[in-house]
RNA sequence: GGACAGGUGGCCGAGUGGUUAAAGGCAGCAGACUGUAAAUCUGCCCGCGCAAGCGUACGCUAGUUCGAAUCUAGCCCUGUCCA
């Protein structure tokens, strides 16, 4: 359909919309007033990773379209653990850890959103502020009467777990109730009209909408984003090396940049639309590039995302490092560094020391497989000794490079 | 509380006394081919050791045995059904 509101047009043309609860209603509302919309985030780690980036960008788009982004930190719900998409119950976190995580995560949002007191300025809430005060009896009375077990059991988050014969605790079972309560609370006390989230949050969002209607007669809306996987089917933001963290201190900017630079060809257009502010016609031009030319688009993608998330300088340095390292066969300042003693260093120790191998055995296998290089030359002798005195380039495979710098 | 089923390497999943550091698959790493892509093919894939070998590992503990992931007992955890 063709949307009247800037908001829905923007979201639609950039590929953020998977499902909408009431397209016409929301479109009409967004066309005539500022819509405060929220997304909830977990506080299980001190940083969010790329898997949350769609949601973060969604809040950014909301603000770009003249509405008010509301970041809801799950300080309370994190104490429960969202069972959605999980086979195993989550470990409990201490209050101090959760508070520290929230503080750390906030720094990310400050890069993507403008916070303040104005009508379209972003705000952040912590659901512990109200969930923490909720008494059990009170909750049962006010909220419990609006949920039937029959219906709760049909939700995917519950059903999948039961079907897979995986345990689900009562604690987790209550997650959807608390999340529904959040929406109702924000709608009632902060004027929030919209909740957004991943497609797996549909059930939770719908619960909140229903709860707000039944308890207060308020009409609120929901949008979910498509489940984002990379072209080869993996979840966004998870690599075997670990999650692609957004915070500076959780993942070096160079590695962050490389994640985007190594995107699958097929994902380039989608990523540019979702994760950069580039105009659509420019994106159309970039994604039309064929063969090795698509690499130009990947560099732009990496630059743009890194700039948004890590700042202009981080993006520039990462690009320069990549250019020097890959095109020039030289060294960029962003590469990992290991001190090279004057007496030199054994190849195995160097590989382990710089983090390219987790154990000596792994380093040996790397050498035996021909993947270990010094200054671009394959080292096949595991007793190889790297002479000290000069800066050397050490590599594992074609992509991982590091600097051995004389002490 | 009772009956039954189950708990194996990052994940899935074979294995029911020695030839099992444990089939196979996925994921991962490296090589070839390329474009720092994908697909494909090849090698690797618990730790230490140049190696012989040693150590650790099949929920936990104790046993039986020359020898246990495999047998016994107790315990813990999970599921299904019953109370």
């Amino acid at each position: 359909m063709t949307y009247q509101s800037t908001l829905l047009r923007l979201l639609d043309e950039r590929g953020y919309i998977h499902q909408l609860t009431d397209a016409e209603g929301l479109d009409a509302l967004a066309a005539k007033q500022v819509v405060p919309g929220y997304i909830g985030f977990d506080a299980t780690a001190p940083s969010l990773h790329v898997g949350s980036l769609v949601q973060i960008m969604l809040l950014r788009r909301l603000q770009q379209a003249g509405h008010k982004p509301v970041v809801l930190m799950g300080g309370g719900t994190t104490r429960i653990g969202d069972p959605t998409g999980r086979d195993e119950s989550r470990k409990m976190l201490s209050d101090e850890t959760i508070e520290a995580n929230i503080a750390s995560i906030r720094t990310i949002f400050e890069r993507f959103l403008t916070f303040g007191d104005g009508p379209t300025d972003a705000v952040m809430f912590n659901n512990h502020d109200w969930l923490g005060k909720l008494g059990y009896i009170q909750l049962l009375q006010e909220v419990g009467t609006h949920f039937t077990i029959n219906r709760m059991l049909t939700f995917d988050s519950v059903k999948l777990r039961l079907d897979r014969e995986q345990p689900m605790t009562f604690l987790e079972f209550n997650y959807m109730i608390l999340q529904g309560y959040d929406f109702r609370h924000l709608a009632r006390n902060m004027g929030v009209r919209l909740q957004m989230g991943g497609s797996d949050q549909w059930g939770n969002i719908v619960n909140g909408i229903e709860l707000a209607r039944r308890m207060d007669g308020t009409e609120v809306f929901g949008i979910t984003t498509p489940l984002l996987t990379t072209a080869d089917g993996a979840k966004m933001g998870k690599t075997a090396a670990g999650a692609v963290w957004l915070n500076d201190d959780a993942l070096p900017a160079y590695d962050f940049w490389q994640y985007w630079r190594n995107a699958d060809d097929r994902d380039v257009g989608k990523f540019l639309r979702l994760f950069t502010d580039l105009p659509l016609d420019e994106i159309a031009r970039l994604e039309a590039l064929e063969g090795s030319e698509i690499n130009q688009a990947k560099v732009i993608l990496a630059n743009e995302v890194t700039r948004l998330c890590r700042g202009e300088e981080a993006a520039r340095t990462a690009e320069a490092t990549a250019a020097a390292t890959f095109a020039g066969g030289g060294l960029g300042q962003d590469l990992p560094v290991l001190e090279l003693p004057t007496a030199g260093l054994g190849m195995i120790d160097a590989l382990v020391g710089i983090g390219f191998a987790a154990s000596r055995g792994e380093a040996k296998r790397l050498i035996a497989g021909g993947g270990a290089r010094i200054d671009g030359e394959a080292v096949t002798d595991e007793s190889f000794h790297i002479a000290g005195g000069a800066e050397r380039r050490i590599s594992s495979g074609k992509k991982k490079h590091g600097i051995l710098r004389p002490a």
Side-chain angles (χ1 to χ4, degrees):
Chain A
M1 68 179 277
T2 326
Y3 295 112
Q4 300 308 303
S5 62
T6 322
L7 175 67
L8 289 186
R9 270 207 308 273
L10 178 66
L11 297 186
D12 185 44
E13 65 194 12
R14 288 201 171 245
Y16 288 92
I17 300 177
H18 178 244
Q19 284 172 293
L20 277 170
T21 52
D22 174 5
E24 293 85 34
L26 180 58
D27 194 36
L29 186 74
K32 74 167 200 277
Q33 68 162 82
V34 171
V35 178
Y38 89 99
I39 301 180
F41 294 87
D42 256 342
T44 43
S47 172
L48 297 175
H49 56 75
V50 166
S52 301
L53 197 54
V54 195
Q55 318 308 333
I56 297 172
M57 287 302 292
L58 193 49
L59 287 174
R60 183 179 169 87
R61 300 294 181 220
L62 192 73
Q63 192 161 46
Q64 284 170 347
H67 299 280
K68 185 180 183 69
V70 175
V71 181
L72 177 67
M73 292 310 305
T77 31
T78 296
R79 288 167 173 84
I80 310 265
D82 183 358
T84 307
R86 285 169 192 279
D87 286 345
E88 281 175 35
S89 305
R90 187 175 276 165
K91 297 147 223 70
M92 300 275 202
L93 296 173
S94 73
D95 290 7
E96 303 78 66
T97 309
I98 291 174
E99 293 310 317
N101 287 348
I102 290 177
S104 171
I105 288 170
R106 188 184 164 100
T107 64
I108 299 172
F109 284 104
E110 282 167 353
R111 289 192 178 277
F112 287 87
L113 305 171
T114 307
F115 283 84
D117 299 324
T120 68
D121 284 341
V123 287
M124 179 180 267
F125 297 115
N126 180 349
N127 65 10
H128 185 60
D129 292 348
W130 53 88
L131 294 181
K133 290 185 197 133
L134 216 48
Y136 192 51
I137 301 292
Q138 181 199 357
L139 178 76
L140 290 179
Q141 277 184 333
E142 289 184 8
V143 185
T145 52
H146 299 293
F147 284 84
T148 65
I149 296 288
N150 314 52
R151 185 138 171 283
M152 288 173 80
L153 288 174
T154 67
F155 278 88
D156 269 0
S157 57
V158 177
K159 209 154 69 81
L160 289 175
R161 194 76 81 80
L162 294 177
D163 288 348
R164 296 205 61 187
E165 303 195 344
Q166 299 285 351
M168 165 174 275
T169 61
F170 184 65
L171 184 79
E172 297 169 279
F173 188 57
N174 277 272
Y175 187 87
M176 67 171 81
I177 291 183
L178 294 181
Q179 195 171 358
Y181 187 83
D182 277 345
F183 198 176
R184 180 262 179 173
H185 180 92
L186 288 170
R188 187 169 132 120
N189 301 295
M190 284 86 174
V192 168
R193 301 297 302 275
L194 170 67
Q195 179 179 187
M196 300 169 289
S199 58
D200 55 345
Q201 295 300 314
W202 180 253
N204 286 327
I205 291 173
V206 169
N207 270 333
I209 291 174
E210 197 143 309
L211 193 64
R213 201 194 70 227
R214 294 171 74 141
M215 289 179 75
D216 307 320
T218 320
E219 192 191 9
V220 292
F221 303 90
I223 298 178
T224 58
T225 56
L227 178 67
L228 253 205
T229 54
T230 57
D232 46 14
K235 256 190 196 162
M236 270 305 281
K238 293 275 172 68
T239 66
V244 182
W245 300 107
L246 301 181
N247 273 70
D248 293 323
D249 46 9
L251 184 77
Y254 176 70
D255 293 329
F256 185 81
W257 192 91
Q258 282 293 326
Y259 175 77
W260 298 100
R261 172 61 184 80
N262 284 313
D264 193 296
D265 286 6
R266 295 164 288 177
D267 288 327
V268 171
K270 179 167 75 175
F271 287 179
L272 284 168
R273 273 186 289 278
L274 288 170
F275 301 121
T276 75
D277 287 339
L278 291 179
L280 288 172
D281 49 358
E282 171 75 359
I283 292 173
R285 186 184 70 78
L286 289 172
E287 78 175 321
L289 294 174
E290 293 198 5
S292 61
E293 295 207 324
I294 191 89
N295 285 331
Q296 296 167 27
K298 292 187 190 181
V299 170
I300 292 172
L301 171 68
N303 282 341
E304 288 297 309
V305 182
T306 308
R307 197 166 55 76
L308 270 178
C309 198
R310 301 301 184 86
E312 182 69 46
E313 201 191 324
R316 254 206 288 267
T317 313
E319 188 191 5
T321 295
T325 307
F326 288 96
L331 294 163
Q333 55 170 312
D334 246 10
L335 296 176
V337 175
L338 183 69
E339 209 172 76
L340 182 64
T342 348
L345 194 61
M347 190 63 191
I348 294 173
D349 294 318
L351 287 169
V352 173
I354 203 157
F356 291 169
S359 68
R360 295 176 57 78
E362 201 178 304
K364 286 179 204 167
R365 279 180 236 121
L366 182 64
I367 295 169
R373 293 186 179 79
I374 289 291
D375 294 332
E377 293 290 315
V379 173
T380 47
D381 173 12
E382 47 180 68
S383 60
F384 183 81
H385 188 84
I386 306 159
E391 192 165 82
R392 316 299 293 272
R393 161 189 167 119
I394 185 169
S395 316
S396 162
K398 297 265 164 29
K399 290 196 223 166
K400 274 182 278 181
H401 305 283
I403 304 169
L404 298 175
R405 184 164 289 157

